Amino acid sequence: MNSRRDFLQKVSLGLGVTALSSLPATANTIPEPFVRPEKQLRVALMGLGGYAGIVAEAMQNCKMATLVGLVSGTPSKIDTWKQKYNIPEKNTYNYENVGDIKNNPDIDMVYITTPNSLHHKHVLQVAAAGKHVLCEKPVADNARQTREMIAACEKAGVKFYIGYRMHFEPHTRELIRMREAGELGKIMHVNNYMGFKSGDPNQWRLKKALAGGGAMMDVGVYALNGARYATGEEPIWVTAQESKTDPVKFKEVDETITFQLGFPSGVIANCGTTYAFNNCERLYVIGDKGFVELSPAFGYGPIKGRTHLGPMNQPVVKHQTLQMDGIADIILNNKPDPNVTGQEGLKDMIVVDAVYESIRKGGQKIFINKA
């Protein structure tokens, strides 16, 4: 597998379903006939790489979100995407003139899917242009940058969301529902991990200047975020260890990291992430009354799960379709947010910073400062 995209692009069957964010976390998804209402969230994609292509295809089945604009530094991509998705020339921009988007009333939000270390710069640009922002995870290189991004969006009066698609995925939401309803009892332990074998040694994800970090930044945030929604708590300490089997390929970024999160209730989550091997994707939460296991747990699908009651039967869906419709519903209809704002991204980045600090200090326990 040559990249995270290759690993994750075991895309689900993509059934059209209603936006999950319009439902409380305690509800299941019910498929509905496709109907596109007049009120739409008009979205421009910034960064036309592989993941943007997945999002664009998924948006063809959205009810409330529609692709209307493009931002790219590659003119040939703009030309190809304009034709494929019927995007007017006036809604296309490059990285130098993206500020001009402020004068375009036909675009409501920009979805940033550029390399990780560009997120900070691009979010500030879009916020200054007065457009709502959706940014892929990891939100930034560190918590300091994330706070600056949140402040910029607040100052501009625009919404700021992070691409936590799992918060809209039916199996994940059922796990959260069961935990909140007390069906698992007192949470006792969490074990989860996310990783894959990285291929091309020249890809941007292995260059610190573009990626910000390695496996931990790229896919370790799935394990981290999963531990947080599996427990419903925020970690108060972390210990972490790093290992490398290929110090040449992974000279600039981390290859494999294991980390442990301690929560106020006493629960410990054992987590891991890697760029070194495949078949590394699981979320297992154990309570004193039951359990939930998702495996695969974080990829594009199909997500599969079982509980102490038997196999889970949630619908197989295209995550990005639900995510985009869900965020559109939040903005257009003032619906509750299922923990996908910039603040959610900040909570993860605070812990990511602590993970790297623990590694620098030889695996020392780091107490998390949320200030």
Side-chain angles (χ1 to χ4, degrees):
M1 305 212 177
N2 294 326
S3 70
R4 174 183 64 174
R5 182 187 67 195
D6 296 328
F7 172 70
L8 294 175
Q9 200 172 5
K10 298 172 182 177
V11 185
S12 63
L13 298 179
L15 302 178
V17 294
T18 186
L20 285 178
S21 70
S22 63
L23 302 175
T26 56
N28 291 322
T29 304
I30 302 174
E32 294 180 352
F34 183 85
V35 178
R36 189 182 293 276
E38 291 186 9
K39 188 163 61 170
Q40 296 280 302
L41 182 72
R42 299 164 299 177
V43 179
L45 286 174
M46 185 172 187
L48 304 183
Y51 188 68
I54 294 171
V55 172
E57 287 300 308
M59 288 186 68
Q60 303 311 295
N61 291 322
C62 282
K63 293 181 180 180
M64 302 180 67
T66 183
L67 178 61
V68 300
L70 306 169
V71 183
S72 176
T74 307
S76 60
K77 287 185 178 181
I78 290 284
D79 291 339
T80 299
W81 281 59
K82 277 196 311 182
Q83 296 180 24
K84 184 173 183 179
Y85 296 106
N86 193 29
I87 306 296
E89 176 65 29
K90 69 180 183 66
N91 287 0
T92 65
Y93 302 85
N94 58 49
Y95 297 133
E96 284 67 44
N97 69 5
V98 67
D100 294 342
I101 204 169
K102 66 183 178 182
N103 301 316
N104 191 333
D106 296 332
I107 296 175
D108 303 312
M109 184 177 77
V110 177
Y111 190 172
I112 297 169
T113 62
T114 53
N116 304 339
S117 287
L118 300 179
H119 291 174
H120 176 257
K121 173 184 177 180
H122 291 158
V123 167
L124 298 187
Q125 287 179 310
V126 173
K131 302 299 181 180
H132 299 309
V133 186
L134 173 59
C135 180
E136 253 313 294
K137 50 111 278 302
V139 55
D141 286 351
N142 50 55
R144 176 187 58 79
Q145 287 187 349
T146 308
R147 290 187 177 97
E148 293 173 357
M149 296 152 81
I150 292 171
C153 290
E154 289 177 346
K155 180 179 179 180
V158 299
K159 304 286 188 181
F160 181 30
Y161 300 103
I162 313 302
Y164 287 118
R165 58 186 167 78
M166 304 313 301
H167 289 248
F168 299 92
E169 193 279 321
H171 295 78
T172 304
R173 291 184 65 87
E174 176 64 5
L175 181 156
I176 295 171
R177 185 203 68 78
M178 293 181 70
R179 191 255 302 158
E180 290 183 337
E183 295 177 15
L184 304 179
K186 179 182 178 182
I187 303 302
M188 305 301 292
H189 184 73
V190 175
N191 185 298
N192 61 351
Y193 36 84
M194 175 59 169
F196 65 99
K197 184 176 178 60
S198 178
D200 181 6
N202 297 312
Q203 63 183 286
W204 68 261
R205 289 184 179 85
L206 304 186
K207 302 180 186 304
K208 187 173 177 62
L210 290 175
M216 185 67 217
M217 293 284 288
D218 189 23
V219 287
V221 291
Y222 285 108
L224 164 56
N225 197 256
R228 291 178 50 236
Y229 57 69
T231 60
E233 298 184 77
E234 297 302 326
I236 56 176
W237 60 258
V238 61
T239 61
Q241 307 79 36
E242 179 184 6
S243 63
K244 287 190 179 183
T245 62
D246 190 338
V248 175
K249 181 176 181 179
F250 299 101
K251 178 180 179 180
E252 297 185 30
V253 301
D254 44 280
E255 175 188 325
T256 299
I257 289 179
T258 56
F259 58 102
Q260 301 74 43
L261 303 173
F263 293 89
S265 66
V267 172
I268 293 177
N270 288 329
C271 306
T273 186
T274 188
Y275 273 165
F277 49 86
N278 294 322
N279 303 309
C280 179
E281 185 183 350
R282 183 186 190 229
L283 193 163
Y284 188 30
V285 54
I286 305 168
D288 62 4
K289 293 183 180 178
F291 72 90
V292 177
E293 179 183 28
L294 302 182
S295 182
F298 305 112
Y300 295 162
I303 303 301
K304 296 180 181 180
R306 66 187 182 99
T307 77
H308 56 286
L309 301 175
M312 300 176 76
N313 61 357
Q314 273 55 45
V316 175
V317 299
K318 187 73 72 69
H319 303 172
Q320 294 80 5
T321 303
L322 293 185
Q323 172 188 279
M324 298 309 295
D325 264 345
I327 289 173
D329 205 16
I330 294 168
I331 293 175
L332 297 176
N333 297 316
N334 197 30
K335 293 295 180 66
D337 158 53
N339 298 323
V340 293
T341 66
Q343 289 293 337
E344 178 74 359
L346 175 59
K347 291 175 182 178
D348 276 347
M349 291 314 302
I350 288 172
V351 180
V352 170
D353 285 353
V355 166
Y356 285 126
E357 182 181 356
S358 178
I359 290 170
R360 288 193 300 270
K361 294 181 177 179
Q364 179 180 323
K365 180 184 286 188
I366 302 298
F367 290 91
I368 296 171
N369 181 5
K370 298 181 175 63

